[in-house]
Amino acid sequence: MKHNSTKMLPSGESDFLQDDPLGKHIKKIQSFSDLEEDEDLMPVAQREIACAIAALTAIYEKTKRLPYFVAPTRSGGVGLEYQVVGIEAYFHFDIDGSIQFSAIGDGKLLNKTRFTNPAEASTLIAHL
């Protein structure tokens, strides 16, 4: 019988990961580096992965919020979506190194900003 090659973590570490929601999101974003190009997606570069993780961590440290949705984008970037009291907030980490933020509430665009420092993401979410 052949078993999969998944490496098991020592019991202390696996318990930690189960109770660490931030760590789960970081692992998911890191997994985007394993994606291969196809007709729907471009590969995600380490720069975009690192930038998304930095923003995710900054947001969590300041607001204790986690994204509602995390996904690779078609253009090879990373997308994070937050839902904050009736407002949908989107971060798109582009392959040119920029970050696009948009907030939508009641079907209206409330904020659209482009920036490059991932630490600024926490301020944008905190002000919603």
Side-chain angles (χ1 to χ4, degrees):
M1 176 183 279
K2 191 172 187 180
H3 297 282
N4 68 23
S5 61
T6 302
K7 182 179 176 185
M8 297 301 290
L9 296 172
S11 65
E13 287 185 52
S14 63
D15 293 341
F16 173 74
L17 287 176
Q18 289 175 1
D19 295 336
D20 180 20
L22 178 61
K24 288 180 183 179
H25 284 82
I26 289 171
K27 283 244 182 245
K28 183 171 185 175
I29 294 169
Q30 288 171 333
S31 75
F32 298 162
S33 68
D34 296 332
L35 298 174
E36 294 184 19
E37 183 175 351
D38 64 18
E39 63 273 356
D40 294 325
L41 292 171
M42 296 291 293
V44 180
Q46 286 301 317
R47 179 180 67 181
E48 284 70 42
I49 289 170
C51 190
I53 290 171
L56 170 75
T57 303
I59 291 167
Y60 187 76
E61 287 174 355
K62 186 170 189 169
T63 68
K64 298 301 182 224
R65 293 189 186 279
L66 291 168
Y68 173 76
F69 189 70
V70 176
T73 65
R74 298 184 90 189
S75 62
V78 176
L80 302 177
E81 178 182 339
Y82 288 81
Q83 293 186 343
V84 181
V85 192
I87 297 173
E88 294 178 5
Y90 302 96
F91 291 95
H92 185 236
F93 301 85
D94 290 325
I95 59 172
D96 66 0
S98 67
I99 305 165
Q100 293 182 50
F101 171 78
S102 57
I104 300 170
D106 293 325
K108 297 177 186 172
L109 182 64
L110 305 174
N111 186 348
K112 186 170 184 169
T113 305
R114 190 177 201 83
F115 58 102
T116 57
N117 181 355
E120 293 178 40
S122 64
T123 302
L124 291 166
I125 287 288
H127 286 104
L128 293 179

